[in-house]
Amino acid sequence: MLFCVSCKRRFRKLKALRLHEYIGIDGISLDDLEIPEPAAGEIRIAVEAFSLNYGDLELFENKYMFSMQLPARFGDECAGIVDAIGEDVSGFSIGDRVSSLPWMNDGYGVDGEFAIVPAEFVAHYPDNLSAYEACCIWVAYLTAYYALFEVGALESGETILITAGTSSAALAAMELARQRGANTIATSRSANNREFLLEAGYSHVIVQGEDCMADKMLEYSGDKGARIIYDPIGGKIVQEYAGGLAQNAEIFLYGGIDPGPTILPEIEMTQKAACLRPFSLYNHIYDPQSRKRGVEYVSNALAKKSVHAFVDTVYPLVEFRQAFEHQVRASGRRGKLVISTT
Protein backbone atom coordinates (compact mmCIF):
# COMPACT_ATOMS: atom_id res chain seq x y z
CA MET A 1 0.00 0.00 0.00
CA LEU A 2 1.03 3.58 -0.64
CA PHE A 3 2.88 5.62 1.95
CA CYS A 4 1.22 9.01 2.39
CA VAL A 5 4.03 11.55 2.92
CA SER A 6 1.86 14.32 4.37
CA CYS A 7 0.07 12.40 7.13
CA LYS A 8 2.35 9.39 7.74
CA ARG A 9 -0.59 6.96 7.48
CA ARG A 10 -1.55 4.17 5.10
CA PHE A 11 -4.64 4.02 2.93
CA ARG A 12 -6.30 1.50 0.68
CA LYS A 13 -7.58 4.21 -1.63
CA LEU A 14 -6.28 7.56 -2.73
CA LYS A 15 -7.65 10.34 -4.89
CA ALA A 16 -6.81 10.86 -8.55
CA LEU A 17 -8.18 12.95 -11.41
CA ARG A 18 -9.90 11.06 -14.21
CA LEU A 19 -11.51 12.10 -17.46
CA HIS A 20 -14.97 10.55 -17.92
CA GLU A 21 -16.14 12.38 -21.07
CA TYR A 22 -14.43 14.28 -23.88
CA ILE A 23 -16.20 17.53 -23.01
CA GLY A 24 -13.33 19.63 -21.69
CA ILE A 25 -12.79 20.41 -18.02
CA ASP A 26 -16.38 19.44 -17.19
CA GLY A 27 -15.47 15.84 -18.02
CA ILE A 28 -13.00 15.62 -15.10
CA SER A 29 -13.73 14.34 -11.61
CA LEU A 30 -11.67 13.62 -8.50
CA ASP A 31 -12.14 9.90 -7.83
CA ASP A 32 -11.21 7.51 -5.03
CA LEU A 33 -9.16 4.71 -6.58
CA GLU A 34 -7.73 1.43 -5.40
CA ILE A 35 -3.95 1.61 -5.26
CA PRO A 36 -2.38 -0.84 -7.71
CA GLU A 37 0.99 -2.50 -7.36
CA PRO A 38 3.56 -1.63 -10.02
CA ALA A 39 4.04 -4.28 -12.71
CA ALA A 40 7.41 -5.32 -14.07
CA GLY A 41 9.29 -2.28 -15.35
CA GLU A 42 7.13 0.19 -13.41
CA ILE A 43 7.55 2.46 -10.39
CA ARG A 44 4.87 3.74 -8.03
CA ILE A 45 5.20 7.30 -6.77
CA ALA A 46 3.60 8.96 -3.76
CA VAL A 47 2.85 12.20 -5.58
CA GLU A 48 3.53 15.47 -3.79
CA ALA A 49 2.74 17.79 -6.69
CA PHE A 50 1.89 17.76 -10.39
CA SER A 51 1.81 20.48 -13.02
CA LEU A 52 -0.57 21.43 -15.82
CA ASN A 53 0.23 21.62 -19.53
CA TYR A 54 -1.62 23.07 -22.52
CA GLY A 55 -1.75 19.62 -24.07
CA ASP A 56 -4.07 18.58 -21.24
CA LEU A 57 -6.76 20.92 -22.54
CA GLU A 58 -6.61 19.40 -26.03
CA LEU A 59 -6.63 15.91 -24.54
CA PHE A 60 -9.86 16.69 -22.65
CA GLU A 61 -11.59 17.31 -26.00
CA ASN A 62 -9.99 14.36 -27.81
CA LYS A 63 -7.91 16.71 -29.98
CA TYR A 64 -4.47 15.62 -28.79
CA MET A 65 -1.86 13.33 -30.36
CA PHE A 66 -3.39 10.28 -28.68
CA SER A 67 -6.81 9.25 -27.38
CA MET A 68 -7.67 7.35 -24.21
CA GLN A 69 -10.16 4.68 -23.23
CA LEU A 70 -12.45 6.45 -20.76
CA PRO A 71 -12.64 6.81 -17.86
CA ALA A 72 -8.92 7.43 -17.79
CA ARG A 73 -6.24 9.04 -15.69
CA PHE A 74 -4.10 11.68 -17.39
CA GLY A 75 -1.08 13.91 -16.90
CA ASP A 76 2.62 13.21 -17.26
CA GLU A 77 4.49 15.62 -14.95
CA CYS A 78 4.60 14.88 -11.24
CA ALA A 79 7.13 14.85 -8.42
CA GLY A 80 7.11 12.71 -5.32
CA ILE A 81 8.66 9.79 -3.49
CA VAL A 82 9.18 6.24 -4.76
CA ASP A 83 7.09 3.94 -2.58
CA ALA A 84 7.00 0.70 -4.61
CA ILE A 85 9.14 -0.78 -7.38
CA GLY A 86 8.21 -3.48 -9.88
CA GLU A 87 10.42 -6.29 -11.05
CA ASP A 88 13.24 -5.69 -13.53
CA VAL A 89 13.76 -2.08 -12.41
CA SER A 90 17.21 -0.83 -11.45
CA GLY A 91 18.60 2.54 -10.40
CA PHE A 92 15.81 3.41 -7.96
CA SER A 93 15.17 2.75 -4.27
CA ILE A 94 12.20 3.19 -1.95
CA GLY A 95 12.24 6.75 -0.65
CA ASP A 96 13.96 8.30 -3.67
CA ARG A 97 12.72 11.74 -4.66
CA VAL A 98 11.81 11.57 -8.33
CA SER A 99 9.81 13.25 -11.06
CA SER A 100 8.13 11.82 -14.12
CA LEU A 101 9.25 12.56 -17.67
CA PRO A 102 6.72 13.36 -20.39
CA TRP A 103 5.39 10.39 -22.33
CA MET A 104 2.19 9.42 -24.12
CA ASN A 105 0.52 8.30 -20.94
CA ASP A 106 -2.57 6.42 -22.17
CA GLY A 107 -3.36 3.84 -19.51
CA TYR A 108 -1.32 5.65 -16.86
CA GLY A 109 -1.61 9.32 -15.82
CA VAL A 110 0.00 11.02 -12.81
CA ASP A 111 -2.47 13.72 -11.78
CA GLY A 112 -3.45 12.62 -8.29
CA GLU A 113 -2.10 11.38 -4.97
CA PHE A 114 -0.28 8.41 -6.52
CA ALA A 115 1.12 7.46 -9.90
CA ILE A 116 2.32 4.35 -11.68
CA VAL A 117 5.00 5.26 -14.24
CA PRO A 118 7.19 3.17 -16.58
CA ALA A 119 10.66 3.28 -15.04
CA GLU A 120 12.29 4.66 -18.19
CA PHE A 121 10.16 7.79 -17.75
CA VAL A 122 11.16 8.43 -14.13
CA ALA A 123 14.17 10.58 -13.22
CA HIS A 124 15.88 11.73 -10.06
CA TYR A 125 15.82 15.50 -9.76
CA PRO A 126 18.48 17.80 -8.25
CA ASP A 127 18.39 18.23 -4.47
CA ASN A 128 18.11 22.01 -4.75
CA LEU A 129 14.59 21.76 -6.20
CA SER A 130 11.31 21.57 -4.30
CA ALA A 131 8.63 19.12 -5.40
CA TYR A 132 6.69 22.08 -6.82
CA GLU A 133 9.66 22.99 -9.01
CA ALA A 134 10.55 19.41 -9.90
CA CYS A 135 7.13 18.74 -11.47
CA CYS A 136 7.60 21.74 -13.77
CA ILE A 137 10.89 21.04 -15.47
CA TRP A 138 10.79 18.24 -17.99
CA VAL A 139 8.15 19.24 -20.56
CA ALA A 140 9.42 22.81 -20.73
CA TYR A 141 13.16 22.19 -20.68
CA LEU A 142 13.30 19.02 -22.75
CA THR A 143 11.12 20.52 -25.49
CA ALA A 144 13.45 23.52 -25.62
CA TYR A 145 16.60 21.40 -25.41
CA TYR A 146 15.71 19.21 -28.39
CA ALA A 147 14.44 22.10 -30.51
CA LEU A 148 17.19 24.60 -29.82
CA PHE A 149 20.23 22.36 -29.49
CA GLU A 150 19.72 18.95 -31.09
CA VAL A 151 17.67 20.11 -34.09
CA GLY A 152 18.17 23.88 -34.35
CA ALA A 153 21.89 23.88 -33.41
CA LEU A 154 21.57 27.34 -31.87
CA GLU A 155 24.95 29.08 -31.62
CA SER A 156 26.36 31.90 -29.54
CA GLY A 157 25.55 35.31 -30.99
CA GLU A 158 22.50 34.16 -32.94
CA THR A 159 19.07 35.68 -32.33
CA ILE A 160 16.05 33.67 -31.19
CA LEU A 161 12.48 34.97 -31.09
CA ILE A 162 10.43 33.35 -28.32
CA THR A 163 6.69 34.04 -28.54
CA ALA A 164 4.32 33.95 -25.54
CA GLY A 165 7.37 34.92 -23.52
CA THR A 166 5.89 34.57 -20.02
CA SER A 167 4.94 30.90 -20.42
CA SER A 168 6.99 28.24 -18.66
CA ALA A 169 8.04 26.75 -22.00
CA ALA A 170 9.21 30.14 -23.26
CA LEU A 171 11.09 30.95 -20.06
CA ALA A 172 12.85 27.58 -20.23
CA ALA A 173 13.87 28.22 -23.83
CA MET A 174 15.13 31.68 -22.91
CA GLU A 175 17.32 30.31 -20.13
CA LEU A 176 18.83 27.59 -22.31
CA ALA A 177 19.38 30.03 -25.18
CA ARG A 178 20.98 32.57 -22.87
CA GLN A 179 23.26 29.82 -21.54
CA ARG A 180 24.39 29.23 -25.12
CA GLY A 181 25.13 32.96 -25.54
CA ALA A 182 22.20 33.74 -27.84
CA ASN A 183 20.34 37.03 -28.18
CA THR A 184 16.81 36.40 -26.86
CA ILE A 185 13.70 38.34 -27.89
CA ALA A 186 10.36 37.75 -26.17
CA THR A 187 6.90 38.65 -27.36
CA SER A 188 4.01 39.49 -25.06
CA ARG A 189 0.47 40.70 -25.55
CA SER A 190 0.79 43.02 -22.55
CA ALA A 191 3.19 45.89 -21.92
CA ASN A 192 2.79 45.09 -18.21
CA ASN A 193 5.01 42.05 -18.75
CA ARG A 194 7.94 43.99 -20.19
CA GLU A 195 9.75 44.58 -16.89
CA PHE A 196 9.20 41.01 -15.71
CA LEU A 197 10.53 39.55 -18.96
CA LEU A 198 13.65 41.70 -18.92
CA GLU A 199 14.29 40.86 -15.26
CA ALA A 200 13.78 37.18 -16.06
CA GLY A 201 16.66 37.37 -18.51
CA TYR A 202 15.40 38.20 -22.00
CA SER A 203 17.61 40.54 -24.02
CA HIS A 204 14.64 42.38 -25.57
CA VAL A 205 10.83 42.45 -25.46
CA ILE A 206 8.31 43.08 -28.26
CA VAL A 207 4.76 44.00 -27.26
CA GLN A 208 2.24 42.72 -29.79
CA GLY A 209 -0.12 45.43 -31.02
CA GLU A 210 2.28 48.22 -29.99
CA ASP A 211 5.51 47.30 -31.77
CA CYS A 212 6.03 46.24 -35.38
CA MET A 213 7.33 42.76 -34.73
CA ALA A 214 9.44 42.35 -37.86
CA ASP A 215 11.01 45.81 -37.55
CA LYS A 216 11.90 45.24 -33.90
CA MET A 217 13.39 41.82 -34.67
CA LEU A 218 15.70 43.42 -37.21
CA GLU A 219 16.55 46.29 -34.87
CA TYR A 220 17.36 44.02 -31.94
CA SER A 221 19.45 41.67 -34.09
CA GLY A 222 21.56 44.24 -35.89
CA ASP A 223 19.53 43.72 -39.09
CA LYS A 224 20.39 40.01 -39.19
CA GLY A 225 16.96 38.78 -38.10
CA ALA A 226 16.05 35.83 -35.88
CA ARG A 227 17.50 32.49 -36.98
CA ILE A 228 15.36 30.47 -34.54
CA ILE A 229 11.67 31.11 -33.85
CA TYR A 230 10.24 29.22 -30.86
CA ASP A 231 6.49 29.53 -31.18
CA PRO A 232 3.55 27.86 -29.38
CA ILE A 233 1.00 30.23 -30.94
CA GLY A 234 0.94 29.82 -34.72
CA GLY A 235 -1.90 31.34 -36.72
CA LYS A 236 -1.67 35.05 -37.52
CA ILE A 237 1.52 35.76 -35.56
CA VAL A 238 3.61 33.91 -38.16
CA GLN A 239 2.74 36.64 -40.66
CA GLU A 240 3.79 39.28 -38.12
CA TYR A 241 7.29 37.95 -37.56
CA ALA A 242 7.98 36.69 -41.11
CA GLY A 243 9.71 39.93 -42.15
CA GLY A 244 12.20 39.54 -39.31
CA LEU A 245 13.51 36.09 -40.23
CA ALA A 246 17.22 35.53 -40.67
CA GLN A 247 18.74 33.55 -43.50
CA ASN A 248 18.09 29.82 -43.06
CA ALA A 249 15.64 30.53 -40.25
CA GLU A 250 13.86 27.65 -38.54
CA ILE A 251 10.40 28.09 -37.03
CA PHE A 252 9.63 25.55 -34.31
CA LEU A 253 5.84 25.48 -33.98
CA TYR A 254 5.29 23.44 -30.80
CA GLY A 255 1.71 24.45 -30.02
CA GLY A 256 -1.45 25.99 -31.43
CA ILE A 257 -2.70 28.64 -29.00
CA ASP A 258 -4.21 30.54 -31.92
CA PRO A 259 -7.11 28.31 -33.05
CA GLY A 260 -7.05 29.79 -36.55
CA PRO A 261 -5.08 28.31 -39.45
CA THR A 262 -1.36 29.00 -39.77
CA ILE A 263 -0.89 30.39 -43.29
CA LEU A 264 2.76 30.30 -44.28
CA PRO A 265 4.32 33.57 -45.47
CA GLU A 266 5.63 31.93 -48.62
CA ILE A 267 7.50 34.88 -50.10
CA GLU A 268 9.41 35.79 -46.92
CA MET A 269 10.23 32.17 -46.14
CA THR A 270 11.43 31.52 -49.68
CA GLN A 271 13.59 34.63 -49.65
CA LYS A 272 15.24 33.51 -46.41
CA ALA A 273 15.36 29.78 -47.23
CA ALA A 274 13.36 29.34 -44.01
CA CYS A 275 11.48 26.26 -42.87
CA LEU A 276 8.66 25.61 -40.44
CA ARG A 277 8.81 22.52 -38.22
CA PRO A 278 5.71 21.31 -36.37
CA PHE A 279 7.60 20.16 -33.28
CA SER A 280 7.07 17.82 -30.33
CA LEU A 281 9.42 16.38 -27.74
CA TYR A 282 7.60 13.06 -28.29
CA ASN A 283 9.69 12.75 -31.46
CA HIS A 284 12.79 12.54 -29.24
CA ILE A 285 11.84 11.28 -25.77
CA TYR A 286 11.30 7.68 -26.85
CA ASP A 287 14.86 7.24 -28.08
CA PRO A 288 16.87 6.06 -25.02
CA GLN A 289 20.07 7.86 -25.97
CA SER A 290 18.28 11.08 -26.87
CA ARG A 291 16.33 10.90 -23.62
CA LYS A 292 19.52 10.35 -21.63
CA ARG A 293 21.27 13.32 -23.24
CA GLY A 294 18.35 15.63 -22.56
CA VAL A 295 17.85 14.57 -18.94
CA GLU A 296 21.55 14.85 -18.15
CA TYR A 297 21.87 18.29 -19.73
CA VAL A 298 18.83 19.74 -17.98
CA SER A 299 19.67 18.10 -14.63
CA ASN A 300 23.20 19.50 -14.68
CA ALA A 301 21.95 22.98 -15.54
CA LEU A 302 19.39 22.87 -12.72
CA ALA A 303 21.92 21.55 -10.20
CA LYS A 304 24.30 24.39 -11.09
CA LYS A 305 21.41 26.88 -10.80
CA SER A 306 22.17 28.22 -14.26
CA VAL A 307 18.49 27.59 -15.04
CA HIS A 308 15.52 27.20 -12.73
CA ALA A 309 11.86 26.23 -12.76
CA PHE A 310 9.26 29.00 -12.95
CA VAL A 311 6.22 28.29 -10.75
CA ASP A 312 3.28 30.68 -10.97
CA THR A 313 0.51 29.44 -8.65
CA VAL A 314 0.11 26.35 -6.47
CA TYR A 315 -3.42 25.03 -5.94
CA PRO A 316 -4.58 22.37 -3.46
CA LEU A 317 -5.95 19.20 -5.04
CA VAL A 318 -9.54 20.03 -4.10
CA GLU A 319 -9.28 23.19 -6.22
CA PHE A 320 -8.25 21.32 -9.37
CA ARG A 321 -11.10 22.86 -11.35
CA GLN A 322 -9.97 26.40 -10.55
CA ALA A 323 -6.45 25.45 -11.61
CA PHE A 324 -7.58 24.16 -15.00
CA GLU A 325 -9.83 27.20 -15.48
CA HIS A 326 -6.75 29.35 -14.82
CA GLN A 327 -4.91 27.33 -17.47
CA VAL A 328 -7.72 27.87 -19.98
CA ARG A 329 -7.59 31.64 -19.52
CA ALA A 330 -3.97 31.51 -20.75
CA SER A 331 -3.25 35.04 -19.60
CA GLY A 332 -1.44 36.68 -16.73
CA ARG A 333 0.68 33.63 -15.92
CA ARG A 334 4.42 33.77 -15.36
CA GLY A 335 5.37 30.13 -15.23
CA LYS A 336 3.55 26.88 -14.55
CA LEU A 337 0.43 26.10 -12.57
CA VAL A 338 0.95 23.39 -9.97
CA ILE A 339 -1.44 21.28 -7.90
CA SER A 340 -0.26 20.11 -4.50
CA THR A 341 -1.43 16.81 -3.01
CA THR A 342 0.11 17.31 0.44
Side-chain angles (χ1 to χ4, degrees):
M1 289 182 291
L2 190 66
F3 184 66
C4 178
V5 178
S6 62
C7 55
K8 304 294 189 293
R9 294 174 59 188
R10 293 177 179 270
F11 294 89
R12 291 183 179 178
K13 290 186 177 183
L14 287 177
K15 294 186 179 297
L17 296 178
R18 289 201 299 176
L19 183 68
H20 291 261
E21 295 182 77
Y22 281 121
I23 55 173
I25 295 173
D26 290 338
I28 303 170
S29 66
L30 185 60
D31 300 339
D32 290 318
L33 300 181
E34 297 286 346
I35 306 168
E37 295 297 320
E42 296 178 340
I43 289 175
R44 192 174 68 201
I45 302 171
V47 174
E48 297 175 293
F50 58 88
S51 64
L52 309 189
N53 289 295
Y54 277 114
D56 298 331
L57 304 179
E58 296 177 344
L59 185 65
F60 299 157
E61 296 182 353
N62 203 17
K63 296 178 180 178
Y64 201 49
M65 287 180 286
F66 61 90
S67 299
M68 302 184 297
Q69 184 175 350
L70 304 183
R73 294 195 62 183
F74 55 85
D76 57 8
E77 276 199 296
C78 74
I81 298 174
V82 174
D83 94 309
I85 301 173
E87 296 180 359
D88 303 322
V89 173
S90 60
F92 297 94
S93 301
I94 303 298
D96 283 357
R97 292 190 175 275
V98 297
S99 52
S100 56
L101 302 175
W103 86 110
M104 293 189 185
N105 52 77
D106 183 25
Y108 288 91
V110 305
D111 289 10
E113 293 179 320
F114 74 95
I116 301 286
V117 182
E120 63 264 40
F121 296 108
V122 177
H124 296 92
Y125 62 82
D127 292 338
N128 58 315
L129 298 185
S130 68
Y132 297 159
E133 294 169 317
C135 72
C136 292
I137 53 179
W138 298 118
V139 167
Y141 279 100
L142 288 178
T143 302
Y145 167 82
Y146 294 127
L148 273 53
F149 297 163
E150 296 214 343
V151 180
L154 180 68
E155 296 182 358
S156 178
E158 291 189 310
T159 295
I160 176 173
L161 178 75
I162 302 173
T163 66
T166 60
S167 72
S168 57
L171 290 164
M174 176 272 294
E175 289 199 318
L176 292 185
R178 188 178 61 174
Q179 245 194 337
R180 187 58 60 94
N183 176 35
T184 57
I185 304 175
T187 74
S188 175
R189 292 178 297 178
S190 172
N192 294 332
N193 287 326
R194 188 187 298 274
E195 184 177 352
F196 165 77
L197 291 167
L198 292 173
E199 289 179 353
Y202 286 100
S203 308
H204 308 280
V205 177
I206 296 172
V207 178
Q208 292 172 250
E210 293 185 13
D211 302 322
C212 174
M213 193 170 296
D215 288 350
K216 287 296 184 181
M217 290 165 65
L218 294 173
E219 177 186 338
Y220 294 151
S221 63
D223 287 327
K224 293 180 180 179
R227 215 267 299 170
I228 298 288
I229 311 294
Y230 195 64
D231 182 13
I233 302 173
K236 296 178 181 179
I237 196 173
V238 180
Q239 303 288 331
E240 296 180 44
Y241 58 62
L245 298 177
Q247 194 68 28
N248 300 312
E250 293 186 80
I251 302 170
F252 290 90
L253 187 61
Y254 67 97
I257 295 175
D258 186 335
T262 298
I263 301 174
L264 297 187
E266 183 178 355
I267 293 176
E268 291 89 344
M269 292 185 67
T270 302
Q271 289 173 336
K272 297 297 185 178
C275 70
L276 183 145
R277 297 177 181 272
F279 189 80
S280 171
L281 68 81
Y282 292 135
N283 299 132
H284 301 268
I285 197 72
Y286 282 92
D287 176 72
Q289 294 305 313
S290 180
R291 183 169 64 243
K292 181 180 179 182
R293 289 194 302 271
V295 169
E296 287 182 351
Y297 187 97
V298 174
S299 292
N300 289 336
L302 288 163
K304 294 176 183 177
K305 298 184 179 181
S306 55
V307 303
H308 70 287
F310 289 85
V311 179
D312 182 283
T313 306
V314 179
Y315 289 86
L317 183 57
V318 293
E319 294 181 8
F320 73 90
R321 193 169 301 279
Q322 292 95 314
F324 280 108
E325 288 171 350
H326 190 172
Q327 184 83 350
V328 168
R329 291 196 298 273
S331 62
R333 289 196 296 108
R334 297 175 174 181
K336 275 209 171 186
L337 302 180
V338 170
I339 294 181
S340 172
T341 66
T342 59

